[in-house]
Amino acid sequence: MDQQIVRKLTAIVGEKHALTEFEDRYCYSFDSTFINAMPDLVLQPGSRDEIAAVCRVAYEHDIPVVTRGAATGLSGGAVPVKGGIVLEMTRLNHIIEINTVNRYAIVEPGIVTQNYLAAVDQAGLFYPPDPASSKMATLGGNISECAGGPHGVKYGITRNYVLGLEVVLADGSIVQTGNLVDGDMSGPDWTMLFCGSEGTLGVITKIMLKLTQKPQAKQTMMAIFDRIEDAATTVSTMMASGVIPTTLEIMDNSTIRAVENFLNIGLPVEAGAILLIEVDGDPKAVEKHVQHVMKVCQDCKALTVKAAKTTKEADALWKARRSVSPACGKINPTKISEDATVPRSRIPEMVAAVREIAEKYKLKMVIFGHAGDGNLHPNILSNKHDKEEMARVSKAVEELFQAALKLGGTLSGEHGIGYLKAPFLVWELGEEGFQFGKDVKQAVDPKCLLNPGKMFDYRAS
């Protein structure tokens, strides 16, 4: 990058927050996937106006801009595949307001999700989206990827809670979408244009979020199955039975063993699969739903169903679920985490397809995830330095996507498209749908400077 431009950009954010050395920039060359690409410059802006000024300079000189939170993404969305500027947003990490009367919050995008959840809880309210990476990920990243989490079964995903956004566009202009009134009908829902757009249409600088009432009671259960097929059938049966659990998570035998080796907390390592199920609501409803859930599990051949007797026991079960990623990382160094999602009624078929693909390509693959909303996480455990194995991984991933789409599903339930899934987006949208996406990108970002090479700007090379 031209040094005059570097000096100009450095003057905007301050010398302390402009990273030019190789070792500093290298830290921003990757996310939680196995790909990496070096940025030319890393900037850590401290305000919306600094971001707007940076975008104006980048627009004038045709420099790519990639927005980054904590880089916990699993689709390569924060990797600067075309170089340019990485905008690290973590200095914008303040809660501006939590309004308990009208039940909304206004926050900056760089706040860590778990810190926000704790503040909302302390205010006596509830924000349901809780991705597994919540202790590290930022809210801006959650919205850009439209993150989900275990609570998605009953409460929905991030997009269901975004009331409005403040966004800096590619040319440095600033727009505000939505408002604090839930149900705004003044024209198209522009907020949803940016939610899930992965930084390809604008830089989010302020977020308005809906809050809800905290449930009065909850109960966590673990159902143990001899066969994963029975656990999968339980999921579709449960969702059709009239009671929607708060969470409905599945872990196959390989996942159970990996987590037990990692935590040593007494998980049933001989089980074919387990389901972690939670119900919430008023105490009487919770009691009734627990009995219903247990009966459905038993009717679907569960070996046993245990209800956590204490908060400590419930926390241990959820610690097991949240430890899946680091536990699987000990099996093989490269964990390729997919989130192809299918209709709930097709989960048994998708589980069968995943197992067939793993066997066909002789790959270590574990199955876990948010089964209650059809979002399985088939994870391939491989080694990126083994070229022959990675070639098999590539073919297996393509077949996973084909299987999900054939069953009426989608490429992504919560990880986004980013760079890794971009080649396959046309499979889901069709040629006309994909071209419409390209047209929208062209209209909002005519120079294709924002997070280039991703989603609708992907070009095979």
Side-chain angles (χ1 to χ4, degrees):
M1 187 179 296
D2 184 275
Q3 289 305 303
Q4 283 191 343
I5 299 174
V6 172
R7 285 193 288 272
K8 198 171 183 181
L9 291 166
T10 299
I12 294 171
V13 300
E15 192 169 342
K16 180 181 176 183
H17 300 294
L19 309 181
T20 58
E21 298 299 325
F22 176 87
E23 55 269 31
D24 291 328
R25 290 184 289 118
Y26 183 79
C27 296
Y28 294 82
S29 67
F30 51 84
D31 60 2
S32 294
T33 63
F34 60 93
I35 62 171
N36 67 293
M38 282 290 284
D40 298 300
L41 178 65
V42 177
L43 300 175
Q44 301 166 323
S47 71
R48 176 200 67 181
D49 291 343
E50 288 183 5
I51 292 168
V54 167
C55 286
R56 284 195 291 272
V57 173
Y59 195 79
E60 180 184 354
H61 297 283
D62 295 338
I63 301 170
V65 176
V66 178
T67 310
R68 171 185 168 120
T72 56
L74 294 167
S75 60
V79 178
V81 295
K82 301 291 183 182
I85 300 166
V86 164
L87 275 183
E88 190 208 325
M89 302 294 286
T90 55
R91 289 180 66 205
L92 281 76
N93 59 6
H94 299 98
I95 295 175
I96 299 169
E97 180 184 5
I98 293 179
N99 190 304
T100 57
V101 176
N102 295 304
R103 293 184 178 175
Y104 67 77
I106 303 175
V107 301
E108 293 183 328
I111 186 169
V112 173
T113 304
Q114 186 60 46
N115 295 345
Y116 169 69
L117 295 175
V120 170
D121 182 70
Q122 192 171 13
L125 292 171
F126 183 41
Y127 176 77
D130 58 340
S133 57
S134 60
K135 289 185 178 178
M136 300 171 284
T138 62
L139 276 176
N142 291 175
I143 292 167
S144 295
E145 301 292 328
C146 198
H151 288 142
V153 183
K154 178 176 179 179
Y155 290 103
I157 57 178
T158 297
R159 74 159 65 95
N160 303 116
Y161 294 87
V162 184
L163 294 170
L165 298 169
E166 179 185 78
V167 181
V168 174
L169 301 180
D171 63 358
S173 57
I174 300 167
V175 297
Q176 179 170 318
T177 69
N179 55 46
L180 295 171
V181 182
D182 190 15
D184 170 33
M185 293 296 289
S186 301
D189 193 341
W190 300 117
T191 301
M192 288 303 102
L193 181 66
F194 295 99
C195 186
S197 66
E198 305 182 16
T200 64
L201 299 179
V203 181
I204 297 170
T205 52
K206 191 184 295 182
I207 303 166
M208 293 174 273
L209 294 168
K210 179 168 62 176
L211 301 174
T212 189
Q213 184 178 357
K214 194 188 298 187
Q216 297 175 39
K218 61 183 178 182
Q219 176 65 58
T220 302
M221 291 161 276
M222 178 173 67
I224 302 172
F225 295 85
D226 189 37
R227 302 185 324 133
I228 190 172
E229 291 83 355
D230 295 331
T233 300
T234 302
V235 173
S236 52
T237 304
M238 184 81 69
M239 301 309 294
S241 71
V243 169
I244 305 297
T246 314
T247 61
L248 184 43
E249 301 283 303
I250 193 170
M251 293 166 61
D252 73 353
N253 176 266
S254 297
T255 308
I256 297 167
R257 288 177 178 272
V259 174
E260 180 59 21
N261 287 336
F262 188 66
L263 294 177
N264 194 23
I265 56 174
L267 291 175
V269 293
E270 299 301 324
I274 61 174
L275 292 177
L276 294 180
I277 309 166
E278 189 171 277
V279 294
D280 69 6
D282 71 74
K284 287 186 178 179
V286 168
E287 187 177 341
K288 183 179 176 182
H289 290 167
V290 166
Q291 297 305 316
H292 178 89
V293 166
M294 287 187 164
K295 184 175 187 311
V296 171
C297 291
Q298 288 159 357
D299 289 347
C300 292
K301 303 180 182 178
L303 297 173
T304 184
V305 187
K306 298 177 180 177
K309 295 178 182 176
T310 63
T311 301
K312 186 178 179 180
E313 284 187 14
D315 290 344
L317 291 176
W318 287 114
K319 183 179 181 182
R321 171 61 185 88
R322 293 188 184 281
S323 300
V324 168
S325 287
C328 290
K330 293 186 69 175
I331 297 176
N332 252 359
T334 305
K335 186 171 74 68
I336 299 169
S337 179
E338 300 299 346
D339 62 328
T341 301
V342 298
R344 294 156 173 163
S345 61
R346 312 299 295 271
I347 287 176
E349 295 166 81
M350 188 62 189
V351 167
V354 171
R355 300 186 77 179
E356 287 175 11
I357 292 168
E359 186 174 345
K360 177 179 178 181
Y361 290 103
K362 303 185 186 312
L363 294 169
K364 293 179 183 176
M365 198 181 300
V366 298
I367 300 175
F368 62 92
H370 318 310
D373 55 7
N375 185 356
L376 297 174
H377 287 322
N379 273 231
I380 303 172
L381 310 177
S382 56
N383 183 344
K384 68 178 182 180
H385 301 295
D386 185 337
K387 292 184 178 178
E388 188 276 331
E389 183 181 56
M390 290 305 287
R392 284 184 279 126
V393 169
S394 180
K395 291 178 181 177
V397 167
E398 285 193 26
E399 289 198 22
L400 282 173
F401 293 152
Q402 288 170 345
L405 295 175
K406 188 177 178 181
L407 293 172
T410 177
L411 299 177
S412 176
E414 59 178 340
H415 295 170
I417 298 301
Y419 182 73
L420 293 176
K421 293 179 192 164
F424 312 106
L425 189 54
V426 68
W427 291 2
E428 179 169 342
L429 301 180
E431 294 290 345
E432 292 182 347
F434 189 78
Q435 183 58 49
F436 181 72
K438 289 175 70 74
D439 292 344
V440 170
K441 167 71 173 173
Q442 180 68 29
V444 180
D445 178 18
K447 291 187 175 184
C448 283
L449 296 177
L450 296 179
N451 209 1
K454 316 283 176 61
M455 291 185 84
F456 298 107
D457 188 47
Y458 174 82
R459 297 179 182 87
S461 60

